[in-house]
């Protein structure tokens, strides 16, 4: 090494030389150090069909980034299968995984000084986990959905994983035999992809497309179709351009774009989980969003799509007739979208929707015309009352009436409730209370798909209510109210309800109450004792210590960020 050569090395080059040596080992050459380093956060896993097709998509993203002049670096993040863990102790880790995913993506990107990140996810918590990290870091970012599963089929009927849960209730009620039960199980999930109805995964992917953080038409593609791979490669190229133009998540994730996402969630009949997740995303993005904002948007947005769980069709059917852009164009035409919001391509929503037809084709009935919606207003209602002073979320699609007053049937766990339903101890008119399943009390705020599906399967969906401080699967429908806050574990009124208390659920009046006097509730509160924590070490104990109320998104950094 000559002195002349040494004098030509800039100080920065000297400082970075050891770092570059490491990068050379993973494939960097002399000409690559000035290119943007782009992380590809892959949630590939064979734990769940939702994520088992993601590895090939990560390779497509890598190729697209490299072709556009970036240097991709693939790293892994976790997933859990909500569908497999549903109804078990393992489901307590589902919501926890959202924050683990966010933390892991943030850690990898910031530790390696990445210039941007493309995240690919499938199962429910992959999407919000990735978006929380993107909003926190505020480096150029794009989300790619791993794709939806194609429907299963049995004697001319489309099936999803929820069909299997409902079949258990039908079998227990004597409405089907074991042969049909097993036939449903064997045919419900035919291959790779996330649950096929407008459940949580498809709800969040659709909302991200509406928000501008995913490419248009990508949220309803099948995991197994070639267009998903092609779209992922394109996403890699688009992200490199966003890096070059310094287009960052907080340029896209604004109050207005979140309102766009919520409008689409209402129009497609999406999951209650979207409320929890968008409160958390808004928190990470520094956007002021409150629980009651969902109610404001609900009041003016109709449900336009006839999609499972309460409707007939699945996400691939929606894709076939125009997908989310068709729904967005209808909302835009009626003043319910902010057309000037930016998308990851650098174009506005209005510009991206310019070529989309004003109305869906009359030759289909997946998307209803504006003049004939499924419901005149949105389906996710925010209820309050002495049973939920901080609020609760009701899903009111697929039911004949949205009001019910009946005797409380009280359970301190999901398992105890399910046992009672399957034993036919729940009757028409009952209002089930499942408590100590909240963010802190569970901990982890389990989803109640098993009991709600058993209620539907038993033919009680229109006549039995269910209230919980836990969550519901996107596959749930019926007279259900979740996210009750304050939760039982912190002394919320749901902890004070006694067997046979009169309970009122009134969605039109936005009311949730136990019909006992304030004086009686005060006496019960004085006698109530906080239970011992269920976990005292490990991730669930840490989560229970950190997590906020569900009314604030169940975030784990509430007291960290201003």
């Amino acid at each position: 090494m000559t002195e002349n050569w040494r004098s030509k090395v800039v100080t920065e080059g000297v400082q970075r030389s050891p770092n570059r040596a490491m990068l050379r080992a993973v494939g960097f050459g002399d000409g690559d150090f000035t290119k943007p380093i782009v992380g590809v956060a892959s949630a590939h896993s064979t734990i769940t069909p939702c994520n088992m097709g993601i590895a090939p998509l990560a390779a497509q993203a890598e190729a697209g980034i490299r072709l556009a002049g970036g240097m991709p670096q693939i790293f892994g993040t976790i997933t859990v299968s909500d569908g497999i863990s549903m109804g078990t102790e393992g489901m307590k880790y589902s919501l926890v995984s959202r924050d683990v995913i966010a933390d892991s993506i943030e850690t990898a990107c910031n530790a390696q000084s990445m210039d941007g990140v493309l995240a690919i996810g499938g199962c429910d918590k992959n999407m919000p986990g990735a978006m929380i990290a993107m909003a926190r870091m505020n480096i150029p970012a794009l989300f790619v959905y791993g794709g939806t599963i194609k429907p299963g089929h049995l004697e001319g009927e489309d099936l999803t994983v929820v069909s299997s849960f409902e079949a258990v209730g039908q079998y227990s009620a004597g409405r089907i035999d074991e042969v049909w039960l097993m036939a449903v199980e064997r045919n419900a999930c035919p291959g790779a992809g996330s649950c096929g109805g407008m459940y949580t995964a498809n709800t969040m992917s659709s909302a991200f497309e509406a928000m501008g953080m995913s490419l248009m038409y990508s949220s309803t593609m099948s995991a197994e179709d070639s267009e998903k791979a092609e779209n992922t490669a394109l996403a890699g190229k688009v992200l490199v351009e966003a890096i070059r133009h310094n287009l960052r998540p907080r340029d896209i994730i604004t109050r207005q774009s979140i309102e766009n996402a919520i409008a689409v969630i209402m129009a497609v009949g999406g999951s209650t989980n979207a409320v929890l997740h968008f409160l958390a995303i808004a928190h990470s993005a520094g956007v002021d969003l409150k629980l009651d904002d969902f109610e404001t948007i609900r009041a003016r947005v109709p449900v336009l799509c006839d999609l499972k769980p309460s409707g007939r069709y699945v996400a691939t059917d929606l894709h076939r007739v125009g997908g989310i852009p068709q729904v967005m164009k209808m909302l835009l035409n009626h003043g319910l979208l902010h057309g000037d919001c930016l998308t990851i391509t650098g174009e506005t929503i209005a510009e991206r929707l310019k070529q989309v037809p004003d109305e869906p084709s009359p030759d289909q009935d997946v998307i209803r015309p504006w003049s004939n919606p499924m419901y005149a207003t949105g389906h996710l209602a925010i209820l309050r009352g002495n049973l939920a002073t901080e609020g609760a979320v009701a899903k009111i699609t697929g039911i004949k009436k949205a009001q019910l007053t009946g005797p409380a049937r009280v359970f301190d766990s999901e398992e105890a409730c399910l046992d009672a339903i399957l034993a036919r101890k729940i009757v028409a008119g009952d209002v089930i209370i499942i408590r100590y399943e909240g963010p802190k009390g569970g901990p982890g705020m389990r989803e109640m798909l098993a009991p709600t599906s058993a209620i539907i399967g038993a033919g009680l969906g229109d006549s039995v209510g269910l209230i919980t401080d836990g969550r519901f699967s996107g596959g749930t429908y019926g007279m259900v109210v979740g996210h009750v806050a304050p939760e039982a574990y912190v002394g919320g009124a749901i902890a004070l309800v006694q067997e046979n208390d009169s309970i009122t659920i009134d969605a039109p009046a936005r009311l949730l109450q136990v019909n006992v006097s304030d004086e009686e509730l005060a006496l019960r509160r004085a006698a109530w004792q906080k239970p011992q924590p269920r976990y005292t070490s490990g991730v669930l104990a840490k989560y229970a210590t950190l997590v906020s109320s569900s009314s604030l998104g169940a975030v784990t950094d509430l007291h960290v960020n201003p």
Side-chain angles (χ1 to χ4, degrees):
M1 183 183 295
T2 68
E3 192 62 30
N4 285 340
W5 183 91
R6 186 185 299 275
S7 67
K8 292 179 182 179
V9 178
V10 296
T11 303
E12 175 66 14
V14 172
Q15 292 172 341
R16 295 289 294 174
S17 184
N19 311 68
R20 292 204 306 262
M22 295 289 288
L23 290 170
R24 288 183 190 279
V26 298
F28 278 63
D30 287 345
D32 295 329
F33 293 106
T34 58
K35 297 176 181 177
I37 297 176
V38 186
V40 177
S42 169
H44 173 79
S45 172
T46 57
I47 287 174
T48 170
C50 312
N51 293 55
M52 68 189 225
I54 286 177
L57 295 181
Q60 289 289 332
E62 181 183 38
I65 290 165
R66 200 178 299 277
L67 189 62
M71 286 302 292
Q73 291 190 304
I74 297 177
F75 63 92
T77 185
I78 69 155
T79 193
V80 301
S81 172
D82 288 6
I84 295 171
S85 63
M86 195 74 68
T88 74
E89 193 78 359
M91 188 64 196
K92 293 181 177 181
Y93 289 86
S94 170
L95 185 58
V96 175
S97 76
R98 182 190 76 178
D99 291 75
V100 175
I101 292 165
D103 293 349
S104 68
I105 293 174
E106 177 190 352
T107 300
C109 290
N110 284 347
Q112 304 308 131
S113 301
M114 294 179 187
D115 298 297
V117 62
L118 183 151
I120 312 174
C123 201
D124 294 8
K125 307 311 173 293
N126 298 179
M127 275 76 77
M131 198 59 60
I132 288 167
M134 291 170 180
R136 282 182 194 166
M137 296 184 297
N138 201 33
I139 60 174
L142 186 153
F143 185 82
V144 172
Y145 183 38
T148 186
I149 197 172
K150 293 181 178 179
H153 302 285
L154 182 61
E155 294 191 5
E157 179 184 353
D158 282 353
L159 300 178
T160 70
V161 66
V162 175
S163 307
S164 187
F165 280 90
E166 291 179 359
V168 172
Q170 292 168 340
Y171 174 73
S172 298
R175 300 173 70 194
I176 61 172
D177 60 20
E178 186 175 356
V179 173
W180 187 262
L181 172 65
M182 295 306 298
V184 171
E185 177 194 307
R186 291 175 178 132
N187 290 278
C189 298
S194 299
C195 299
M198 192 48 69
Y199 311 148
T200 303
N202 284 327
T203 296
M204 295 307 296
S205 68
S206 298
F208 288 179
E209 182 177 320
M211 192 167 60
M213 287 295 292
S214 295
L215 297 184
M216 284 198 175
Y217 294 101
S218 65
S219 66
T220 50
M221 291 177 177
S222 165
E224 297 182 318
D225 286 348
S226 60
E227 66 174 344
K228 172 51 67 177
E230 295 163 3
N231 184 266
T232 304
L234 175 62
K237 298 175 186 177
V238 168
L239 178 56
V240 173
E241 285 302 307
I243 294 170
R244 290 192 176 116
H245 290 90
N246 199 29
L247 180 58
R248 297 171 180 258
R250 293 195 186 190
D251 299 324
I252 298 169
I253 306 172
T254 64
R255 168 67 187 225
Q256 290 72 30
S257 74
I258 290 177
E259 288 181 355
N260 286 351
I262 296 170
V264 166
I265 290 163
M266 296 296 177
V268 300
S271 167
T272 53
N273 281 310
V275 177
L276 192 76
H277 297 327
F278 268 98
L279 288 169
I281 291 165
H283 168 71
S284 291
V287 172
D288 182 23
L289 186 73
K290 300 291 192 296
L291 194 59
D292 287 334
D293 293 327
F294 290 84
E295 181 63 33
T296 300
I297 296 171
R298 179 187 85 86
R300 60 179 185 246
V301 178
V303 178
L304 296 171
C305 299
D306 187 2
L307 297 169
K308 291 179 181 291
S310 59
R312 294 177 292 166
Y313 295 106
V314 295
T316 51
D317 295 317
L318 177 59
H319 188 65
R320 172 176 48 82
V321 300
I324 295 303
Q326 180 63 80
V327 177
M328 291 175 68
K329 185 62 174 284
M330 297 168 71
L331 294 172
L332 181 67
N333 287 346
H334 289 84
L336 295 173
L337 281 192
H338 302 283
D340 57 349
C341 287
L342 281 177
T343 72
I344 188 61
T345 66
E347 301 166 284
T348 66
I349 289 288
E351 288 169 339
R352 294 291 290 163
L353 295 175
K354 192 172 183 179
Q355 302 303 318
V356 177
D358 289 334
E359 289 289 332
S361 169
D363 298 330
Q364 59 79 47
D365 56 359
V366 182
I367 305 173
R368 294 283 195 93
W370 193 267
S371 60
N372 184 31
M374 294 289 294
Y375 303 93
T377 58
H379 64 300
L380 300 180
I382 306 303
L383 309 187
R384 294 183 184 271
N386 66 358
L387 202 49
T389 55
E390 291 180 14
V393 183
K395 192 173 189 180
I396 54 176
T397 48
I399 54 176
K400 293 176 181 176
K401 60 179 183 178
Q403 298 163 300
L404 177 66
T405 294
R409 304 296 309 280
V410 182
F411 303 93
D412 287 348
S413 72
E414 176 188 3
E415 289 87 349
C417 174
L418 182 61
D419 288 344
I421 297 168
L422 297 181
R424 305 188 195 184
K425 294 180 180 179
I426 302 299
V427 299
D430 284 347
V431 180
I432 296 169
I433 303 286
I434 305 178
R435 62 193 182 189
Y436 296 105
E437 292 284 6
K440 288 183 176 293
M445 207 178 177
R446 286 193 289 183
E447 293 180 352
M448 304 293 142
L449 180 60
T452 58
S453 295
I455 290 168
I456 295 295
L460 296 171
D462 289 317
S463 58
V464 167
L466 193 153
I467 299 169
T468 181
D469 51 9
R471 296 182 294 129
F472 294 114
S473 162
T476 291
Y477 65 103
M479 178 63 85
V480 296
V481 185
H483 307 198
V484 169
E487 62 174 291
Y489 186 77
V490 301
I494 191 172
L496 309 179
V497 177
Q498 296 180 0
E499 189 79 4
N500 292 317
D501 279 349
S502 172
I503 304 290
T504 293
I505 305 171
D506 190 334
R510 298 174 55 201
L511 178 66
L512 185 69
Q513 70 180 23
V514 52
N515 299 310
V516 300
S517 67
D518 292 343
E519 292 78 12
E520 173 62 20
L521 285 178
L523 289 173
R524 294 181 187 181
R525 185 175 301 283
W528 176 79
Q529 292 186 337
K530 184 176 183 177
Q532 292 297 311
R534 288 171 169 162
Y535 293 84
T536 56
S537 64
V539 66
L540 291 180
K542 288 193 291 184
Y543 184 84
T545 300
L546 293 172
V547 70
S548 75
S549 168
S550 60
S551 65
L552 300 173
V555 299
T556 53
D557 63 347
L558 184 65
H559 302 296
V560 177
N561 289 345

